[in-house]
């Protein structure tokens, strides 16, 4: 999907599917295309990626019909504009905990190319856009998706106010950080964690905002949350799919031949 189709489908309650892409190989996009994904997730918070590389990836995946959604390194408007300049269809701001952070992100994602005092006055409501400017800004930014990570206790406490910020398209649950913030690190079936996930889904969908998660830890949970209203799925990554498939096949070969297998890989922290 392109970003307009992705946004419209989520707004109508439809489910959209993607995965985290780690590989920067020029041959990889053509292989990813075979998966029939709606979008790809590119993570500049945790992955090393320069601006040229990010732009090539964004524009390649966009050309192949998979909207590139980019997580920026930290919730900063300038980082959001860098991602959009690179060709991102949408921006995910990590570890958002306040309304002020979301409002600032809105200025970068939904009100480009305004900056400075005029933008600030419009964001705080002390100035309205002139009629021609209002139309221009809407047209200029209609393809941009604004998404924030909800991954802490304070974010949960501020969730109602965060969801009320105009222009927010989706919230994305960060399971590892959320579980740690809630005091149940990596216990993804703990009642405290699952209750938090269910609360985020319920509140987001009631507010007309898409609810998503980037998840590695149980397809059964993703299906269950999907039935409860989760409609933005970032399932695992190309790296984890490779590791799991390769490990499974090698263990099968070694066990069949009576050779010793190494211990399994450790946990994933994203």
């Amino acid at each position: 999907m392109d970003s307009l189709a992705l946004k419209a489908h989520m707004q109508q309650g439809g489910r959209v599917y993607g995965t985290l892409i780690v590989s920067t190989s020029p041959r990889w996009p053509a292989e990813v295309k075979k998966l029939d994904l709606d979008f790809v997730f590119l993570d500049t918070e945790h992955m090393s990626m320069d601006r040229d590389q990010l732009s090539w990836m964004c524009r390649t995946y966009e050309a192949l019909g998979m909207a590139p959604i980019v997580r920026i390194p930290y919730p900063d408007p300038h980082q959001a504009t860098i991602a959009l300049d690179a060709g991102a269809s949408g921006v995910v701001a990590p570890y958002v905990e306040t309304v002020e952070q979301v409002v600032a992100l809105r200025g970068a994602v939904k009100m480009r190319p305004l900056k400075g005092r005029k933008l600030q006055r419009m964001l705080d409501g002390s100035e309205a856009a002139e009629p021609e400017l209002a139309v221009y800004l809407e047209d200029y930014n209609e393809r941009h998706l604004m998404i924030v990570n909800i991954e802490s206790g304070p974010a949960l406490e501020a969730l109602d106010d965060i969801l009320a910020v105009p222009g927010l398209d989706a919230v994305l649950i960060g399971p590892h950080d959320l579980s740690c913030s809630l005091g149940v690190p990596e216990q993804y079936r703990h009642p405290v964690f699952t209750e938090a996930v269910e609360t985020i889904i319920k509140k987001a969908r009631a507010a007309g905002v898409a609810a998503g998660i980037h998840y590695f830890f149980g397809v059964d949970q993703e299906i269950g949350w999907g039935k409860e209203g989760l409609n933005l799925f970032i399932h695992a990554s190309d790296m984890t799919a490779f590791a799991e498939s390769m490990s499974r096949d090698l263990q099968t070969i070694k066990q069949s031949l009576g050779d010793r297998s190494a211990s399994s890989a450790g946990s994933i922290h994203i």
Side-chain angles (χ1 to χ4, degrees):
M1 293 184 181
D2 64 19
S3 57
L4 286 176
L6 193 72
K7 182 190 298 188
H9 195 63
M10 289 194 299
Q11 287 176 342
Q12 295 163 8
R15 303 183 189 98
V16 294
Y17 298 89
T19 190
L20 169 62
I21 299 298
V22 176
S23 174
T24 58
S25 167
R27 294 190 61 179
W28 201 229
E31 298 303 312
V32 175
K33 174 67 174 175
K34 298 174 184 178
L35 299 177
D36 193 28
L37 298 176
D38 300 310
F39 67 96
V40 293
F41 182 45
L42 307 176
D43 186 9
T44 65
E45 181 191 15
H46 296 294
M47 306 301 171
S48 176
M49 195 179 302
D50 64 32
R51 293 179 67 172
D52 282 348
Q53 192 174 58
L54 176 65
S55 188
W56 274 106
M57 292 178 73
C58 283
R59 298 187 188 282
T60 299
Y61 283 107
E62 181 183 40
L64 289 172
M66 295 170 281
I69 305 299
V70 175
R71 179 156 59 188
I72 56 181
Y74 42 88
D76 176 76
H78 179 60
Q79 292 295 322
T81 62
I82 287 175
L84 292 172
D85 285 342
S89 296
V91 171
V92 178
Y95 223 89
V96 166
E97 295 187 323
T98 69
V99 169
E100 290 76 16
Q101 290 173 309
V102 186
V103 170
L105 186 70
R106 177 184 172 226
V109 177
K110 300 293 186 174
M111 300 174 73
R112 296 181 77 207
L114 288 182
K115 298 182 179 70
R117 294 181 182 179
K118 185 177 183 71
L119 173 60
Q120 190 55 52
R121 289 194 298 267
M122 290 177 61
L123 288 174
D124 64 25
S126 63
E127 180 178 330
E130 295 84 353
E132 289 187 19
L133 176 62
V135 173
Y136 175 82
L137 292 177
E138 184 175 354
D139 290 345
Y140 191 91
N141 296 290
E142 66 176 347
R143 292 183 173 274
H144 301 160
L145 289 159
M146 182 172 77
I147 305 169
V148 299
N149 263 138
I150 300 298
E151 45 192 345
S152 71
L156 275 171
E157 294 170 5
L159 184 58
D160 290 333
D161 293 332
I162 287 172
L163 290 169
V165 175
L168 183 64
D169 294 297
V171 293
L172 180 66
I173 299 165
H176 181 247
D177 285 354
L178 181 60
S179 71
C180 291
S181 180
L182 296 176
V184 290
E186 298 187 37
Q187 298 177 56
Y188 301 113
R189 296 180 187 268
H190 193 288
V192 169
F193 176 79
T194 57
E195 181 182 358
V197 171
E198 290 163 4
T199 296
I200 295 167
I201 296 171
K202 181 179 179 180
K203 288 190 172 186
R205 296 308 307 280
V209 174
I213 194 167
H214 181 204
Y215 208 64
F216 299 78
F217 312 107
V219 170
D220 61 313
Q221 289 177 290
E222 292 180 75
I223 293 170
W225 292 328
K227 291 178 179 179
E228 293 177 13
L230 189 82
N231 64 328
L232 173 63
F233 292 80
I234 303 177
H235 177 69
S237 71
D238 52 358
M239 179 177 65
T240 55
F242 161 78
E244 290 173 3
S245 177
M246 184 65 69
S247 175
R248 182 177 59 249
D249 288 351
L250 287 175
Q251 286 184 29
T252 298
I253 295 169
K254 290 179 180 180
Q255 289 172 3
S256 297
L257 297 175
D259 293 327
R260 184 173 59 188
S261 295
S263 59
S264 61
S267 299
I268 301 162
H269 302 155
I270 293 181

